[in-house]
């Protein structure tokens, strides 16, 4: 066998060893890629069967995928929401936190690159005769060194230093993955806060409309009481009723009158709350001229299926991203227990005298490759790894809890709207009867066939029915807004 063939066969074990080492290192990659846990989500929300949910999804628009500009139709409200998203101070803080997370992510990407540092250094070590040091013969040349305050070492350096950690176990990759998840989580949380701001502004605005309509109802009822009191006074002068009738009618009028300042107070408080959401001081710029009237939200909508909540609803998606980050941190803490491979280099000029700093004879280079393995760290690395495992479990449980909560929120919202619609129909019928009773009692009272007590009772019932119906309508609007928020708020 020739020497060449002998060398060929002799090199096979070495190649096998290298291949084995590479395979071993690859098998030691830290952590596992994220896999979404099995959530066992139902096919449809509780209020609908699967068939009904599918039909709604095909025939109508899923609220969670509708942008808020399409969901709300009131132009005044749309402008208020625009102002709130631009000026809300809490939202601005959250956006800054997202910017910080973005910078951390950019930093994690830069970890894969070597660090390069420029060094300019001038050094002199001086001692005296009684110091336990040696003289620098090169510095003084052939001359004798002084006995006092002489130079033992001199150096003038201009160099570039480089340090590069090789991502042998995937530590830097997992760190980048964790920072990316953290950044996306902050973005999702920002969207969630925006959804909250939109919902809060809309709710506050509709409460203003409700209070305005209640104010109009109270003022109309007060005028009606004035008319009733005038008739009672005429009857008193005619001797048909006693002074007690006047006293009781005036008492009823005062009760109605007391509602006006109460509602006006709540109006001002609600205006201040809305201004706060807009990031402004209390002012008079919000002037509500109308009540709820025929205000309606987007009709004929569907809620989709529970699976869509994970991507459509920002806070649920943020909870999943927190789990992604925790999973990546497990890989980071695991890689900390493995050897670390670093390459270091230093290249430049080093001379005793500054005049020789650029002389080719002063050129130097240092190249170091180091493999360091932590051995005894007072159990710190093992503790950190086990903590990261527990933190990942906690994040998964929090994610599952958030999904269950989101499904429950939607189911609660659907049944709330359904029952409020039934309640509103009853309130309309109740109000119709109350208005009819007021009209009939007033006519009978004017003709002497009904007492003033019947009129007062009818007016009191009518006022209560009016205010109740306005309140139920307000609850319906708020329930629709909450359902819209719980489905994601249009961030699909």
């Amino acid at each position: 066998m020739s020497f060449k063939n002998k060398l060929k066969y002799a090199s096979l074990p070495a190649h096998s060893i290298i291949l084995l080492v590479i395979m071993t290192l690859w098998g030691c990659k830290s952590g596992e890629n994220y896999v979404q846990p099995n959530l066992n989500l139902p096919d449809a929300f509780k209020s609908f069967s699967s068939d009904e949910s599918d039909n709604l999804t095909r025939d109508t628009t899923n609220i969670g995928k509708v942008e808020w500009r399409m969901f709300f139709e009131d132009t005044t409200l749309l402008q208020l929401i625009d102002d709130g998203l631009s000026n809300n101070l809490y939202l601005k803080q959250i956006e800054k936190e997202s910017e910080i997370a973005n910078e951390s992510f950019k930093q994690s990407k830069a970890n894969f690159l070597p660090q390069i540092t420029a060094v300019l250094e001038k050094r002199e070590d001086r001692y005296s005769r009684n110091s336990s040091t040696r003289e620098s013969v090169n510095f003084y040349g052939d001359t004798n060194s002084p006995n006092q305050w002489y130079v033992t070492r001199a150096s003038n350096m201009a160099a570039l230093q480089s340090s590069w950690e090789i991502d042998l176990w995937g530590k830097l990759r997992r760190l980048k993955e964790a920072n990316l998840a953290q950044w996306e989580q902050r973005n999702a949380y920002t969207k969630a806060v925006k959804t909250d701001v939109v919902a809060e502004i809309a709710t506050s605005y509709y409460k203003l409309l409700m209070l305005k309509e209640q104010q109009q109802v109270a003022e109309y009822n007060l005028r009606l009481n004035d008319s009733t009191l005038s008739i009672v006074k005429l009857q008193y002068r005619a001797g048909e009723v006693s002074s007690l009738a006047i006293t009781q009618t005036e008492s009823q009028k005062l009760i109605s009158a007391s509602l006006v300042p109460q509602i006006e107070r709540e109006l001002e408080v609600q205006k201040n709350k809305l201004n706060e959401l807009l990031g402004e001081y209390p002012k008079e710029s919000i002037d509500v001229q109308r009540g709820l009237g025929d205000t309606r939200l987007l009709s004929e909508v569907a809620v989709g299926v529970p699976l869509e909540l994970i991507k459509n609803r920002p806070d649920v998606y943020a909870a999943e991203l927190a789990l992604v980050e925790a999973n990546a941190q497990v890989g980071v803490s695991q890689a900390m227990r493995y050897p670390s491979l670093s390459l270091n280099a230093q290249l430049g000029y080093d001379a005793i005298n500054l005049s020789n700093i650029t002389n080719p004879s002063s050129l130097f280079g240092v190249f170091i490759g180091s493999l360091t393995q932590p051995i005894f760290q007072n159990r710190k690395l093992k503790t950190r790894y086990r903590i990261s495992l527990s933190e990942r479990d906690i994040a998964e449980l929090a994610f599952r809890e958030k999904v269950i909560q989101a499904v429950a929120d939607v189911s609660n919202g659907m049944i709330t709207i359904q029952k409020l619609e039934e309640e509103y129909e009853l309130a309309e019928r109740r109000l119709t009867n109350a208005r009819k009773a007021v009209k009939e009692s007033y006519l009978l009272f004017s003709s002497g066939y009904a007492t003033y007590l019947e009129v007062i009772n009818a007016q009191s019932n009518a006022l209560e029915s009016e205010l109740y119906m306005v309140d139920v309508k307000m609850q319906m609007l708020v329930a629709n807004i909450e359902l819209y928020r719980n489905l994601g708020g249009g961030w699909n």
Side-chain angles (χ1 to χ4, degrees), residues 67-83:
E67 198 213 353
W68 60 267
R69 297 179 191 276
M70 301 297 296
F71 184 74
F72 301 105
E73 299 177 353
D74 191 312
T75 55
T76 302
L77 174 58
L78 293 177
Q79 183 59 53
L80 290 173
I81 293 176
D82 266 330
D83 294 341

Side-chain angles (χ1 to χ4, degrees), residues 204-221:
S204 184
Y205 175 73
Y206 286 129
K207 283 184 179 180
L208 282 179
L209 299 187
M210 177 198 71
L211 290 170
K212 187 64 178 181
E213 187 162 330
Q214 288 183 338
Q215 183 184 33
Q216 294 170 353
V217 169
E219 290 173 348
Y220 171 77
N221 191 76

